[in-house]
Amino acid sequence: MSPRADPPSPTLAVYYGPATEQALATLATFPRVAVQAPLYSPEQLAALRRGGTRVLAYLSVGEDHPLGDWACVPGAAPYHQQPNTEWASVVVDAAHPLWADVLLTRAAQILEHTDGLLLDTLDSADPVATLALLRQLRGAFPDAALWANRGFALWPELPEVLRGAPDHGVLFEALSTRHTPCYALHDPPGLAYTAHWLAEVRRSGLPVHALDYADRPELAAAARARAAALGLRTFVSDRDLVWPGGWPIPEPVGPTPLEALL
């Protein structure tokens, strides 16, 4: 671990809560935000973009789930496979043509008022079929930003798909901390795993921003300390991503938080 560095502020906020006045004001302070666009009015999204914030709309690629007007009754669609009870979603058959139609329709709807997509659940379905869906999305919306949440199961092909978008990158979720089965710093094998994949992402040349989880200030500080030591920015929030500004960044005092937890 390198000497302590003051953690830089995140430049990407990930917020899946409602579009309250306070949330909108906080999100407007970030250069880039990822939100669940169906929860916002076109006017709210336009206001964020007018202020200079680039808005990424969450889009689940490998799982179906209810969101806004998007209904999801497990087993009701021919592309549904096994349920993911932890998130009330359903893993899909990514090769099914009806799922491709649904995904493209949803993307068109949310891209009407946003700058691009945050592509999630990339590791849930068949990787070959998932890559084919991503290529369809890129071809259908060539001007849209494409950011991937992890997607390591799609390596080494994923970087080529993302680089076709004018604004692209990787959101490295749970770089240093987790929320399940409890909020905690990764154990040494887990830290080694994320360090390995960070090196792979950087080798690809893709921009990367981290996302971590915490339920207490010292865990949030530990996540920021490791990210800073790795030369990254991280947005630290709760499991449900309902804090628009994430954990506040306090003035550094005492020992390096990461070292204190190891």
Side-chain angles (χ1 to χ4, degrees), residues 28-83:
T29 66
F30 288 87
R32 183 183 281 109
V33 299
V35 300
Q36 294 188 330
L39 304 181
Y40 292 69
S41 70
E43 293 76 20
Q44 289 169 328
L45 294 169
L48 280 174
R49 298 170 75 193
R50 279 197 305 270
T53 297
R54 291 184 62 79
V55 179
L56 302 177
Y58 173 92
L59 184 67
S60 177
V61 178
E63 298 182 21
D64 189 15
H65 66 95
L67 176 60
D69 294 333
W70 301 347
C72 174
V73 178
Y79 45 78
H80 281 177
Q81 295 187 326
Q82 67 271 22

Side-chain angles (χ1 to χ4, degrees), residues 32 49 54 56 111 114-117 137-147 159-169 205-207:
R32 183 183 281 109
R49 298 170 75 193
R54 291 184 62 79
L56 302 177
L111 284 171
T114 62
D115 298 291
L117 303 171
L137 286 167
R138 190 187 67 183
F141 309 103
D143 297 327
L146 294 180
W147 278 67
E160 177 272 328
V161 176
L162 296 179
R163 277 194 290 265
D167 174 22
H168 53 263
L206 293 175

